[in-house]
């Protein structure tokens, strides 16, 4: 009989392979919920992905990276109009490919939207979705904080009045190759992990800034959610390390913000089951068993621990674990003929996005190539907390934010992870406000700000777009969220 750990790992591999061969566009919008769930379970198995450690020495040797011929590329990437785009669009948008490895034929797809007012004075923000292996454009760009959302007809768009390009110029990067429209001509490139993802994202940025040289000296911030709790700190670390060189672009990194972020295996898992119990999703008996038999300090789980963890997962039932109070998608329900509203997040949005991005006219407007895709994840360190410590020491701004109705990477996980750093409290826990209501809560540590977003699930800008915009505006302004 196959052991639980072996079965879990084989299911993960099958899922990745199925995604790899089945679609012309990577439908991680429909599979994002599954992606992190499967990855978490794979980390529990005795056949877990490699846990290669990262150096935390920012004084490593510098070597120049590949820079391609970028003549005319910016003009070629400009989007004239997207299919079903609403009236009144007053900002420039671009999309296309940046080659990061010409020998392998590896290229990353991006979507970039400038701010409609004073774009020349606003900072540059990079957004990364997690997964691992989920589309930053299909998720972040079209379901969260991008300028558009997709209507239920799957072929028209409506404006997001709380889009982050109100306060910044925003890049949505599909990384690594095998995610979204990003691709490689070398099949082995689809077996990938944290290290190459950070390296390729850095090469992308160096080349992108050559393509858009007006942004070279602009204040630069990296944001992301979920497994981007790995991507964002690792890329920030890579940038600071590479900035030690003087013969290539120095990226003006000012800060990072990670939402509902998986940063440490042990404290994150501990926080999940603590959240389940405190939110009436698990029984007292299951909670007591997990407390007794699961060692969240070392992460060495016994078979009895696994049984209680499985029991805890099964007790939840059929709910959206990414927003425990949200309705589930019902595709058979009648759909309104009117445009959608950013004030109500449709749980079927991922299906609308999938339909939209598979339209040939949309792909042509985006300068995108239809491609089979999917990734198999290999290296993944058990923690990125040492990297976050190094980033704090470097003096850049570090924010961790958490939607408080997320059960997959809940606020308890974020608090346990941050508490591991033992940072002194500078300003005590307090509420912050948006439109005369409590938007969430915030505590300022020495070098790190931890904040919650009230009523938001795992995808904070999807469920609370106005509060998310208030939050990111405060982050970019270098101020805590408003106290009143």
């Amino acid at each position: 009989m196959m052991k639980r750990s072996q079965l879990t790992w084989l299911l993960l591999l099958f899922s990745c392979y199925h995604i790899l061969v089945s679609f012309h566009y990577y439908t991680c919008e429909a599979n994002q919920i599954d992606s992190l769930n499967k990855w978490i379970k794979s980390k529990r198995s005795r056949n877990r992905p490699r846990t290669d450690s990262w150096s935390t020495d920012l004084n490593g040797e510098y070597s120049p990276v590949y820079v391609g011929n970028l003549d005319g590329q910016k003009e070629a990437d400009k989007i004239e109009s997207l299919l079903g785009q609403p009236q009144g669009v007053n900002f420039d948008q671009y999309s296309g490919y940046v080659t990061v490895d010409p020998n392998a034929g590896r290229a990353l797809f991006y979507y970039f939207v400038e701010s409609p007012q004073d774009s020349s004075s606003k900072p540059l923000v990079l957004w990364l979705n997690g997964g691992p292996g989920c589309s930053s454009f299909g998720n972040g760009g079209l379901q969260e904080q991008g300028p558009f959302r997709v209507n239920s007809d799957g072929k028209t768009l409506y404006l997001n009045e709380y889009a982050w390009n109100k306060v910044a110029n925003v890049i949505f990067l599909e990384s690594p190759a095998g995610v979204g429209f990003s691709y490689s001509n070398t099949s082995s490139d689809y077996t990938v992990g944290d290290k190459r993802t950070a390296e390729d994202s850095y090469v992308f940025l160096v080349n992108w800034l050559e393509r858009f040289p007006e942004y070279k000296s602009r204040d630069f911030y990296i944001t992301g959610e979920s497994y981007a709790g790995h991507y964002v700190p690792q890329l920030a670390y890579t940038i600071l390390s590479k900035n030690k060189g003087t013969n290539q672009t120095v990226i003006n990194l000012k800060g990072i913000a990670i939402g509902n972020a998986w940063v440490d295996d042990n404290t994150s898992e501990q926080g999940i089951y603590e959240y389940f119990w405190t939110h009436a999703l698990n029984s007292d008996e299951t909670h007591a068993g997990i407390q007794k038999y699961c060692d969240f300090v070392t992460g060495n789980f016994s078979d009895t621990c696994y049984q209680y963890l499985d029991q805890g997962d099964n007790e939840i039932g059929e709910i959206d674990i990414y927003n425990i109070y949200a309705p589930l998608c019902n595709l058979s329900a009648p759909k309104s003929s009117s445009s959608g509203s950013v004030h109500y997040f449709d749980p079927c949005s991922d299906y609308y996005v999938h339909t939209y991005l598979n339209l040939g006219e949309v792909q042509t407007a985006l300068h995108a190539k239809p491609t089979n895709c999917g990734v198999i994840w290999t290296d993944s360190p058990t923690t990125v907390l040492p990297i976050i410590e190094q980033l704090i020491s470097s003096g850049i701004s570090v924010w961790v934010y958490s939607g408080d109705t997320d059960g997959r990477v809940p606020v308890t996980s974020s608090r346990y992870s941050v508490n591991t750093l033992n940072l002194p409290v500078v300003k005590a826990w307090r509420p912050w406000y948006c439109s005369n209501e409590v938007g969430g809560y915030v505590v300022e540590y020495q070098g790190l700000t931890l904040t919650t977003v009230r009523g938001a699930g795992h995808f904070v800008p999807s469920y609370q777009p106005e509060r998310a915009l208030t939050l990111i505006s405060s982050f970019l302004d270098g101020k805590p969220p408003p106290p009143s």
Side-chain angles (χ1 to χ4, degrees), residues 392-435:
I392 292 171
S393 298
S394 75
I396 69 167
S397 175
V398 177
W399 279 39
V400 177
Y401 65 91
S402 180
D404 61 12
T405 64
D406 175 27
R408 176 43 67 221
V409 191
V411 64
T412 43
S413 294
S414 296
R415 295 176 85 167
Y416 278 134
S417 297
V418 170
N419 288 343
T420 302
L421 298 173
N422 294 314
L423 299 171
V425 173
V426 176
K427 291 186 179 179
W429 183 273
R430 64 163 176 84
W432 61 270
Y433 288 81
C434 175
S435 293

Side-chain angles (χ1 to χ4, degrees), residues 61-357:
E61 292 185 5
Y62 174 86
S63 57
V65 299
Y66 164 80
V67 176
N69 181 5
L70 303 172
D71 291 344
Q73 284 296 314
K74 176 183 174 181
E75 293 74 17
D77 287 354
K78 189 168 184 180
I79 298 172
E80 296 303 322
S81 179
L82 291 173
L83 176 68
Q85 180 176 297
Q87 297 294 319
V89 173
N90 59 347
F91 49 82
D92 288 335
Q93 47 185 334
Y94 301 80
S95 63
Y97 289 94
V98 171
T99 298
V100 294
D101 187 332
N103 295 323
R106 196 161 68 245
L108 301 185
F109 179 83
Y110 78 92
Y111 172 74
F112 173 56
V113 57
E114 290 189 313
S115 187
Q117 288 89 32
D118 301 320
S119 63
S120 61
S121 64
K122 287 186 169 66
L124 180 65
V125 170
L126 176 71
W127 172 265
L128 301 170
N129 269 91
C134 286
S135 165
S136 295
F137 178 48
N139 288 286
L142 290 175
Q143 296 187 67
E144 299 188 63
Q145 72 277 19
F148 304 114
R149 300 263 181 100
V150 182
N151 282 308
S152 59
D153 61 8
K155 57 186 179 182
T156 58
L157 306 173
Y158 63 99
L159 285 169
N160 174 10
E161 61 190 278
Y162 301 109
W164 287 10
N165 75 317
K166 303 281 186 182
V167 295
N169 306 284
V170 186
I171 310 171
F172 299 89
L173 174 62
E174 312 248 78
S175 178
V179 172
F181 290 119
S182 295
Y183 69 92
S184 177
N185 295 329
T186 304
S187 59
S188 61
D189 280 351
Y190 295 107
T191 299
V192 67
D194 284 20
K195 284 192 172 182
R196 203 185 71 214
T197 299
E199 291 164 0
D200 280 2
S201 296
Y202 174 75
V203 177
F204 165 86
L205 285 172
V206 170
N207 280 268
W208 190 92
L209 288 169
E210 293 297 326
R211 190 174 298 188
F212 292 81
E214 65 271 28
Y215 286 97
K216 279 189 176 184
S217 61
R218 203 74 60 89
D219 287 352
F220 177 66
Y221 298 86
I222 314 174
T223 59
E225 72 191 6
S226 192
Y227 193 79
H230 279 221
Y231 295 163
V232 172
Q234 289 165 342
L235 177 57
Y237 167 86
T238 302
I239 289 171
L240 292 179
S241 180
K242 296 290 189 180
N243 277 350
K244 300 294 182 180
T246 57
N247 59 341
Q248 209 157 28
T249 298
V250 173
I251 298 173
N252 193 22
L253 179 64
K254 295 297 185 180
I256 66 169
I258 46 178
N260 292 82
W262 190 278
V263 296
D264 179 80
D265 289 359
N266 296 341
T267 54
S268 293
E269 289 236 53
Q270 181 183 11
I272 289 172
Y273 294 96
E274 192 80 11
Y275 187 90
F276 287 177
W277 183 64
T278 56
H279 287 73
L281 302 179
N282 274 180
S283 66
D284 289 350
E285 293 77 14
T286 296
H287 177 67
I290 291 173
Q291 293 290 101
K292 181 176 181 179
Y293 293 107
C294 295
D295 182 357
F296 291 109
V297 176
T298 66
N300 295 320
F301 295 164
S302 66
D303 289 340
T304 304
C305 168
Y306 282 128
Q307 292 171 8
Y308 276 106
L309 294 179
D310 283 344
Q311 187 170 306
D313 293 338
N314 293 333
E315 283 179 347
I316 294 169
E318 294 297 322
I319 66 170
D320 181 358
I321 196 60
Y322 284 72
N323 186 345
I324 64 173
Y325 304 122
L328 296 175
C329 170
N330 181 4
L331 286 172
S332 62
K335 303 298 180 185
S336 171
S337 59
S338 61
S339 178
S341 169
V342 73
H343 296 282
Y344 168 73
F345 182 70
D346 190 326
C348 297
S349 292
D350 46 13
Y351 294 98
Y352 312 153
V353 170
H354 171 230
T355 299
Y356 184 79
L357 290 178

